[in-house]
Amino acid sequence: QTVRWHIELQPWASPTPSLNYEASRFLKYISTSQISCEHMNLNSLKGYSETTKKPWSICLDERFSLIHRIRSKKCRLYSLGLGNDDNQFELSMANSGCEVHRFDPSLKAAHVQEGRHLWHHRLSIDWRDPNPAIAAHKLHSNTKKLGTVLNEFGHQKIDVLKADVESAEWKILENLILEDVVEQIGQLVFEVHIHWPGFEVSGNDSTVVRYWYSLLRELELKDFRLFHTYKDLSKPQMFLKKEAFNASSCYTLSWVNTRWK
């Protein structure tokens, strides 16, 4: 298998690169569901009435595996965060019998088990593993790629990957696509931030938006379909540091891997 170093960039949205055209194509794309999902929260399970502060929507329709894996207590959730106190979604997934692993570099202890199904790990999931030969990287020895963590934990599959990583999501998503780790994931629920390019994403504004769009099209090529999109109007209405395009700086997007069994 050949290693890919770069994602395939989509053609420009217009004959000459233009931020207006790139932005409108991208915003339309993240605002349009590609597949319908009838049951999108844990309330559709018996005995649930908890509501989460944010719509971390998962698809519990019978045609996808997640609902069956929750019922048979075989589901696994990985949650990537940075000092986020709102763990309601993780708790409700753990309460429904899922094995939940929460990764957050700001935690006090390295590994803590809470209850029967919830683990907290003082780890930052990144788009690269630290290089032990570089002194500065030694400080980040609790930083790992998702593929590395899956191997170390002996996990073949993740039913749901939830990420709220304050703009690191673009490079993490790129790494998951380039290393084919995304094929081991059933559903993705990502908070995406578009008020600035994100960590280590370079280029002028139109280049950045084309890259974001191309990443999401790669997910589509891997049989992921967007089934829910939430525009967070409580966040500043900014798009690449401009008050433009009627965009929020933050969207929560949910995809289901339609090939996943």
Side-chain angles (χ1 to χ4, degrees):
Q1 190 174 341
T2 56
V3 176
R4 290 174 68 195
W5 295 99
H6 304 285
I7 61 154
E8 205 67 41
L9 286 174
Q10 292 290 321
W12 291 100
S14 53
T16 52
S18 141
L19 177 60
N20 279 347
Y21 278 101
E22 293 305 320
S24 61
R25 174 172 73 170
F26 171 75
L27 289 167
K28 183 181 176 197
Y29 192 82
I30 64 169
S31 306
T32 311
S33 296
Q34 299 168 329
I35 196 169
S36 68
C37 177
E38 302 289 315
H39 308 286
M40 278 194 287
N41 59 23
L42 292 164
N43 300 353
S44 59
L45 295 173
K46 285 195 181 83
Y48 261 94
S49 59
E50 296 169 27
T51 51
T52 50
K53 291 180 199 166
K54 272 187 193 153
W56 298 108
S57 296
I58 49 179
C59 190
L60 298 170
D61 286 4
E62 295 285 339
R63 62 188 163 138
F64 300 123
S65 66
L66 182 58
I67 184 63
H68 306 288
R69 292 171 73 86
I70 290 176
R71 284 187 191 131
S72 62
K73 306 281 191 261
K74 287 192 178 134
C75 66
R76 180 180 292 130
L77 164 73
Y78 271 33
S79 168
L80 320 182
L82 296 169
N84 193 340
D85 296 332
D86 179 15
N87 296 321
Q88 192 62 53
F89 176 72
E90 288 79 355
L91 288 167
S92 45
M93 288 293 277
N95 289 341
S96 65
C98 287
E99 175 189 333
V100 176
H101 295 272
R102 192 176 148 249
F103 299 89
D104 185 338
S106 68
L107 296 173
K108 304 247 183 320
H111 299 283
V112 176
Q113 184 173 353
E114 177 186 338
R116 280 182 57 199
H117 300 293
L118 179 58
W119 285 263
H120 302 273
H121 308 281
R122 188 176 61 208
L123 262 179
S124 171
I125 301 297
D126 205 352
W127 57 92
R128 59 194 164 194
D129 286 327
N131 180 344
I134 299 174
H137 281 198
K138 287 189 178 149
L139 302 169
H140 303 289
S141 56
N142 62 344
T143 295
K144 289 177 178 171
K145 294 189 295 194
L146 188 66
T148 305
V149 172
L150 283 170
N151 287 339
E152 288 180 1
F153 285 19
H155 293 163
Q156 301 296 317
K157 290 184 167 183
I158 307 171
D159 292 280
V160 181
L161 176 65
K162 173 203 164 189
D164 179 3
V165 287
E166 309 304 335
S167 297
E169 66 274 356
W170 297 110
K171 292 295 286 183
I172 290 172
L173 193 54
E174 180 187 59
N175 167 255
L176 299 182
I177 290 167
L178 291 176
E179 298 193 351
D180 292 327
V181 176
V182 77
E183 289 164 11
Q184 295 170 257
I185 300 168
Q187 296 190 21
L188 293 169
V189 193
F190 269 53
E191 189 165 286
V192 300
H193 302 84
I194 59 177
H195 55 294
W196 70 293
F199 297 102
E200 295 199 21
V201 176
S202 58
N204 62 22
D205 286 355
S206 50
T207 305
V208 167
V209 184
R210 179 195 187 198
Y211 162 76
W212 288 344
Y213 175 71
S214 302
L215 264 182
L216 301 187
R217 287 301 303 270
E218 289 253 2
L219 276 181
E220 201 181 323
L221 290 171
K222 296 211 176 252
D223 295 299
F224 279 82
R225 297 291 178 266
L226 188 64
F227 65 85
H228 189 254
T229 168
Y230 169 74
K231 178 178 178 179
D232 190 345
L233 294 173
S234 70
K235 298 281 170 75
Q237 308 293 293
M238 299 292 285
F239 186 90
L240 291 176
K241 302 187 178 163
K242 300 176 185 66
E243 289 185 23
F245 307 111
N246 191 23
S248 167
S249 56
C250 178
Y251 290 74
T252 307
L253 306 176
S254 300
W255 292 267
V256 60
N257 183 343
T258 55
R259 254 203 323 201
W260 217 69
K261 296 290 179 274

